[in-house]
Amino acid sequence: MDTHRDYTRLARAEKIARRMDNAVRIPFTRMTFGMDAVLGLVPGVGDALAMLPSLYILQVANMAGAPRRLLTKMATNIAIDWAIGVVPLVGDIFDIAYKANLRNVALLRAHIELRHAMPRGGDTPPSNVVPLFPQPDDPGPDAPPLTGMPAQRPFL
């Protein structure tokens, strides 16, 4: 579990995703498109070429230890992008709107951040996390302090 390596690969994958999905902004609009849409204009070969960077992002997720369910979701995004992308004109418009690569790097970032989140104090969860099922010896967040003195009420 190498944090630096995962974040370096993530940064590279995000850079590729931005180039593929958000490289150019259409003037006077909020719409962007990237190389995915441009490559999709080439019949047949363009969509296959556009899939290669998407598969690289999927491989980065696999190397980062992403669970099979996440990999399946990312592969489904790629398959949807490819399947609709091969339809002339409709696919090109869909490529501009769907942005499968940006979706996949967002999923990958969430996985990596969750994987490398360090709980405070060893194996204990962070203090802002309330357990769903408290242990029998855990009185819960609303219990009074366990000291010999009664809990003091705030002065009003």
Side-chain angles (χ1 to χ4, degrees), residues 5-24:
R5 185 178 306 148
D6 283 348
Y7 279 104
T8 301
R9 288 178 180 155
L10 174 64
R12 189 177 312 128
E14 287 177 331
K15 187 175 183 180
I16 290 170
R18 281 191 303 274
R19 284 186 181 158
M20 291 302 293
D21 291 341
N22 264 1
V24 179

Side-chain angles (χ1 to χ4, degrees), residues 74-125:
M74 292 174 73
T76 302
N77 285 339
I78 294 169
I80 290 169
D81 187 41
W82 179 81
I84 297 176
V86 296
V87 178
L89 191 61
V90 173
D92 300 321
I93 294 169
F94 181 78
D95 277 338
I96 292 173
Y98 190 63
K99 302 184 186 309
N101 295 305
L102 289 175
R103 289 173 188 256
N104 285 345
V105 294
L107 292 170
L108 177 58
R109 174 170 282 285
H111 164 72
I112 288 175
E113 287 177 351
L114 183 65
R115 180 177 180 202
H116 294 295
M118 294 290 178
R120 292 179 233 144
D123 292 338
T124 59

Side-chain angles (χ1 to χ4, degrees), residues 43-92:
V45 179
D47 290 305
L49 289 174
M51 195 182 343
L52 293 175
S54 301
L55 294 175
Y56 171 76
I57 293 169
L58 186 65
Q59 178 61 26
V60 169
N62 187 40
M63 290 187 294
R68 187 174 301 246
R69 183 175 182 184
L70 178 62
L71 293 173
T72 302
K73 187 172 188 175
M74 292 174 73
T76 302
N77 285 339
I78 294 169
I80 290 169
D81 187 41
W82 179 81
I84 297 176
V86 296
V87 178
L89 191 61
V90 173
D92 300 321

